[in-house]
Amino acid sequence: MIRIMVLIMFFIVECLFAQDFHGVVTYKTNRKVDLKMDDSRANPEMQNRIQEMLKKQFQKDFALSFNAFESNYKEEESLGAPQPASGMRVMIAGGGSDILYKNIKEERFASKRDMLGKLFLVKDKLEKLDWKLEDENKKIGNYTCYKATAKRIVQRVRSIRINNDNKNEEVTPEKEELTITAWYTPEIPISNGPGNYWGLPGLILEVSDGEQSMLCSKIVLNPKKKVDIIEPTKGKTVTEEEFEKIMEKKMKEMRDIRSKRGDGDGVRIRIGG
């Protein structure tokens, strides 16, 4: 019954306001990080420092600028997290200049991504999740939000180790099923959300897949200065699958170079639990 009422409310509000509706939402992101070091190199103080540094790398603010059917999602400018004094460097895919454009009406996206100084334009269809609308609700700020869940199968390299004997440990992507939990509000009548998330009867204010979470911290609706949504056009055009293959190849090349130079620190970094 609650789900039916939510859908009815969404469509009524959408018809009344969607034509001129626009705004900016700020999200705070976080990700679980589990860092393991070889026994021979184990140093609790250094491990804790690197662990905290990695956590800060994933704690960022993103802004979703939207109108009725389009949006731009971009990292807000901030000071970079400090690197550990050991000289170890951590590279995380994606950067502050990356922009994700979504067109909900046409169910497609265009993402400008900088990978090691080379610009790519990833263009593809938006993934349609099979959302299950739940009856549970809660307040996020002043907005009543409703729960929705979905399943997604992903392939993920869960850990990488560079050994002291200058040989890289072979890593194989593992298939795993993620349960995605989202909280959306029909009071903001757009079918959008942070990152690639969309497709619910209201703006997604919080979403988590068990490892990464995104939580709304600020909402500005219909500001006096109209929000401009611009689709990125620069960069080498590739599909999502093509970009993933290019990134995997580049990461392997970098590990091989570090191995030949003898830069291995005997460190295993595990993303997630």
Side-chain angles (χ1 to χ4, degrees), residues 24-31 55-65 72-80 95-98 194-195 212-218:
V24 180
V25 185
T26 302
Y27 294 89
K28 290 189 176 295
T29 67
N30 206 347
R31 183 185 286 273
K55 285 182 180 179
K56 289 179 181 178
Q57 288 280 359
F58 289 113
Q59 292 172 347
K60 298 182 178 181
D61 290 340
F62 285 81
L64 178 74
S65 305
N72 282 146
Y73 188 69
K74 186 179 185 301
E75 181 185 340
E76 294 193 324
E77 292 185 9
S78 62
L79 294 175
S97 63
D98 291 2
Q212 184 182 38
S213 62
M214 307 174 190
L215 175 62
C216 167
S217 60
K218 182 181 178 181

XYZ file of all heavy atoms in Angstrom, residues 24-31 55-65 72-80 95-98 194-195 212-218:
321
model
N 20.902 21.499 -6.827
C 22.230 20.927 -6.595
C 22.199 20.159 -5.274
O 21.737 20.684 -4.259
C 23.327 22.010 -6.537
C 24.692 21.374 -6.286
C 23.351 22.836 -7.820
N 22.672 18.923 -5.297
C 22.736 18.088 -4.096
C 24.191 17.706 -3.838
O 24.903 17.323 -4.768
C 21.896 16.799 -4.255
C 21.887 16.007 -2.949
C 20.486 17.130 -4.691
N 24.626 17.832 -2.597
C 25.984 17.435 -2.222
C 25.937 16.093 -1.496
O 25.103 15.887 -0.615
C 26.631 18.488 -1.299
O 26.649 19.748 -1.974
C 28.059 18.096 -0.947
N 26.819 15.184 -1.907
C 26.910 13.865 -1.290
C 28.298 13.663 -0.686
O 29.304 14.069 -1.273
C 26.680 12.748 -2.313
C 25.291 12.705 -2.891
C 24.967 13.438 -4.024
C 24.294 11.921 -2.318
C 23.699 13.403 -4.578
C 23.012 11.862 -2.856
C 22.727 12.608 -3.986
O 21.459 12.571 -4.522
N 28.339 13.034 0.474
C 29.601 12.616 1.079
C 29.774 11.123 0.812
O 28.870 10.333 1.068
C 29.608 12.896 2.583
C 29.683 14.384 2.909
C 29.900 14.607 4.394
C 30.069 16.091 4.706
N 31.301 16.644 4.094
N 30.937 10.734 0.273
C 31.185 9.334 -0.048
C 32.175 8.723 0.935
O 33.016 9.406 1.515
C 31.740 9.190 -1.474
O 33.052 9.776 -1.537
C 30.834 9.892 -2.475
N 32.068 7.416 1.092
C 32.953 6.677 1.981
C 33.092 5.261 1.454
O 32.211 4.759 0.758
C 32.403 6.648 3.405
C 33.493 6.477 4.434
O 34.633 6.143 4.112
N 33.158 6.696 5.702
N 34.208 4.597 1.766
C 34.423 3.224 1.326
C 35.220 2.468 2.377
O 36.131 3.019 2.986
C 35.184 3.198 -0.007
C 35.378 1.799 -0.560
C 36.242 1.810 -1.802
N 35.543 2.326 -2.947
C 34.790 1.602 -3.763
N 34.636 0.307 -3.526
N 34.197 2.147 -4.792
N 41.537 5.731 3.833
C 40.160 6.113 4.158
C 39.865 7.538 3.696
O 38.816 7.821 3.116
C 39.920 5.994 5.670
C 39.778 4.576 6.181
C 39.499 4.569 7.666
C 39.347 3.153 8.195
N 39.088 3.147 9.665
N 40.831 8.438 3.941
C 40.631 9.835 3.550
C 40.571 9.996 2.037
O 39.890 10.875 1.525
C 41.741 10.700 4.143
C 41.630 10.869 5.656
C 42.760 11.721 6.211
C 42.642 11.855 7.725
N 43.764 12.636 8.301
N 41.301 9.124 1.312
C 41.270 9.190 -0.141
C 39.859 8.946 -0.666
O 39.481 9.466 -1.720
C 42.229 8.150 -0.740
C 43.699 8.475 -0.572
C 44.198 9.481 -1.587
O 43.453 9.941 -2.437
N 45.466 9.822 -1.498
N 39.086 8.118 0.040
C 37.740 7.781 -0.408
C 36.666 8.659 0.235
O 35.495 8.534 -0.118
C 37.437 6.312 -0.110
C 38.209 5.354 -0.986
C 39.179 4.535 -0.448
C 37.964 5.287 -2.345
C 39.886 3.646 -1.246
C 38.663 4.410 -3.162
C 39.633 3.590 -2.608
N 37.031 9.507 1.181
C 36.065 10.401 1.805
C 36.058 11.717 1.033
O 36.905 12.581 1.250
C 36.415 10.625 3.275
C 36.226 9.385 4.130
C 36.749 9.548 5.544
O 37.463 10.497 5.851
N 36.419 8.616 6.424
N 35.111 11.848 0.137
C 35.062 13.003 -0.745
C 33.653 13.563 -0.817
O 32.676 12.900 -0.457
C 35.546 12.618 -2.151
C 36.996 12.136 -2.187
C 37.427 11.808 -3.597
C 38.886 11.366 -3.637
N 39.343 11.060 -5.007
N 33.555 14.797 -1.292
C 32.263 15.435 -1.519
C 32.019 15.536 -3.022
O 32.909 15.960 -3.777
C 32.230 16.840 -0.908
C 32.224 16.805 0.613
O 31.873 15.755 1.175
O 32.568 17.823 1.225
N 30.828 15.146 -3.434
C 30.434 15.234 -4.837
C 29.170 16.075 -4.955
O 28.322 16.061 -4.061
C 30.163 13.844 -5.420
C 31.411 13.051 -5.705
C 32.069 12.374 -4.688
C 31.925 12.973 -6.991
C 33.212 11.641 -4.947
C 33.069 12.237 -7.265
C 33.715 11.575 -6.241
N 29.053 16.786 -6.060
C 27.867 17.613 -6.308
C 27.092 17.056 -7.492
O 27.669 16.810 -8.560
C 28.273 19.056 -6.573
N 25.796 16.843 -7.305
C 24.889 16.444 -8.376
C 24.060 17.658 -8.769
O 23.203 18.107 -8.011
C 23.977 15.306 -7.923
C 22.942 14.839 -8.952
C 23.619 14.018 -10.051
C 21.837 14.018 -8.291
N 24.345 18.206 -9.939
C 23.556 19.320 -10.485
C 22.522 18.717 -11.434
O 22.883 17.949 -12.337
C 24.457 20.306 -11.232
O 25.505 20.761 -10.401
N 24.728 16.515 -13.975
C 26.188 16.419 -13.938
C 26.583 16.010 -12.525
O 26.063 16.550 -11.547
C 26.851 17.758 -14.272
C 26.855 18.080 -15.750
O 26.749 19.232 -16.151
N 26.973 17.069 -16.600
N 27.498 15.065 -12.421
C 27.990 14.590 -11.123
C 29.491 14.774 -11.111
O 30.197 14.221 -11.960
C 27.612 13.121 -10.929
C 27.901 12.563 -9.554
C 27.183 12.983 -8.440
C 28.874 11.582 -9.368
C 27.428 12.452 -7.180
C 29.119 11.040 -8.115
C 28.388 11.480 -7.021
O 28.630 10.948 -5.779
N 30.001 15.573 -10.160
C 31.415 15.941 -10.177
C 31.936 16.089 -8.748
O 31.228 16.566 -7.857
C 31.593 17.259 -10.941
C 33.036 17.687 -11.157
C 33.096 18.989 -11.949
C 34.522 19.387 -12.283
N 35.374 19.564 -11.100
N 33.196 15.701 -8.561
C 33.837 15.867 -7.259
C 34.065 17.340 -6.972
O 34.503 18.091 -7.856
C 35.175 15.121 -7.222
C 35.896 15.224 -5.886
C 37.273 14.570 -5.909
O 37.519 13.740 -6.796
O 38.091 14.911 -5.024
N 33.742 17.767 -5.743
C 33.994 19.142 -5.357
C 35.465 19.310 -4.999
O 36.104 18.392 -4.479
C 33.108 19.536 -4.168
C 31.625 19.550 -4.526
C 30.789 20.227 -3.460
O 31.123 20.081 -2.268
O 29.818 20.910 -3.819
N 36.011 20.474 -5.274
C 37.428 20.723 -5.037
C 37.745 20.669 -3.543
O 37.009 21.177 -2.715
C 37.831 22.093 -5.597
C 37.799 22.163 -7.117
C 38.318 23.482 -7.641
O 38.858 24.264 -6.831
O 38.181 23.739 -8.840
N 38.867 20.031 -3.227
C 39.328 19.962 -1.839
C 40.817 19.678 -1.847
O 41.388 19.275 -2.860
C 38.586 18.855 -1.074
O 38.846 17.600 -1.665
N 41.464 19.883 -0.698
C 42.886 19.576 -0.584
C 43.088 18.075 -0.621
O 42.321 17.323 -0.028
C 43.443 20.138 0.726
C 43.469 21.666 0.854
C 43.927 22.061 2.253
C 44.388 22.282 -0.199
N 44.108 17.611 -1.337
C 44.380 16.190 -1.454
C 44.801 15.595 -0.120
O 45.409 16.262 0.715
N 39.471 11.121 -10.981
C 40.116 12.325 -10.467
C 39.131 13.457 -10.321
O 37.965 13.350 -10.701
N 39.627 14.568 -9.771
C 38.758 15.706 -9.508
C 38.186 16.348 -10.754
O 37.196 17.085 -10.679
N 38.796 16.093 -11.920
C 38.300 16.709 -13.151
C 37.263 15.842 -13.860
O 36.699 16.255 -14.877
C 39.475 16.979 -14.102
O 40.089 15.764 -14.495
N 37.018 14.632 -13.365
C 36.057 13.727 -13.998
C 34.641 14.284 -13.863
O 34.276 14.846 -12.823
C 36.121 12.340 -13.369
C 37.419 11.621 -13.684
O 38.276 12.215 -14.364
O 37.571 10.465 -13.248
N 23.131 9.849 -6.976
C 24.586 9.975 -7.079
C 25.185 8.901 -7.990
O 24.625 7.815 -8.138
C 25.065 9.802 -5.636
C 24.023 8.924 -5.022
C 22.727 9.343 -5.645
N 26.353 9.206 -8.569
C 27.018 8.235 -9.426
C 26.116 7.786 -10.559
O 25.410 8.585 -11.176
N 30.782 0.698 -0.449
C 30.790 2.137 -0.701
C 29.439 2.728 -0.323
O 28.400 2.122 -0.577
C 31.088 2.449 -2.171
C 31.195 3.953 -2.439
C 31.440 4.260 -3.907
O 30.893 3.596 -4.786
N 32.263 5.254 -4.174
N 29.468 3.900 0.301
C 28.234 4.585 0.660
C 28.279 6.031 0.179
O 29.357 6.631 0.081
C 28.011 4.555 2.181
O 29.063 5.246 2.842
N 27.111 6.554 -0.158
C 26.975 7.946 -0.573
C 25.775 8.525 0.171
O 24.671 7.986 0.083
C 26.744 8.053 -2.085
C 27.765 7.326 -2.935
S 27.324 7.356 -4.697
C 28.533 6.189 -5.359
N 25.997 9.616 0.903
C 24.943 10.191 1.736
C 24.808 11.673 1.464
O 25.796 12.419 1.471
C 25.258 9.962 3.217
C 24.311 10.595 4.236
C 22.904 10.024 4.092
C 24.828 10.402 5.650
N 23.576 12.108 1.218
C 23.298 13.527 0.968
C 23.595 14.350 2.216
O 23.199 13.994 3.321
C 21.834 13.681 0.572
S 21.245 15.370 0.598
N 24.307 15.464 2.030
C 24.614 16.352 3.153
C 24.028 17.752 2.966
O 23.938 18.521 3.923
C 26.133 16.463 3.340
O 26.754 16.985 2.174
N 23.613 18.070 1.733
C 23.091 19.408 1.477
C 22.242 19.390 0.202
O 22.599 18.718 -0.768
C 24.237 20.421 1.322
C 23.794 21.859 1.092
C 25.010 22.772 0.937
C 24.589 24.204 0.659
N 25.773 25.098 0.477
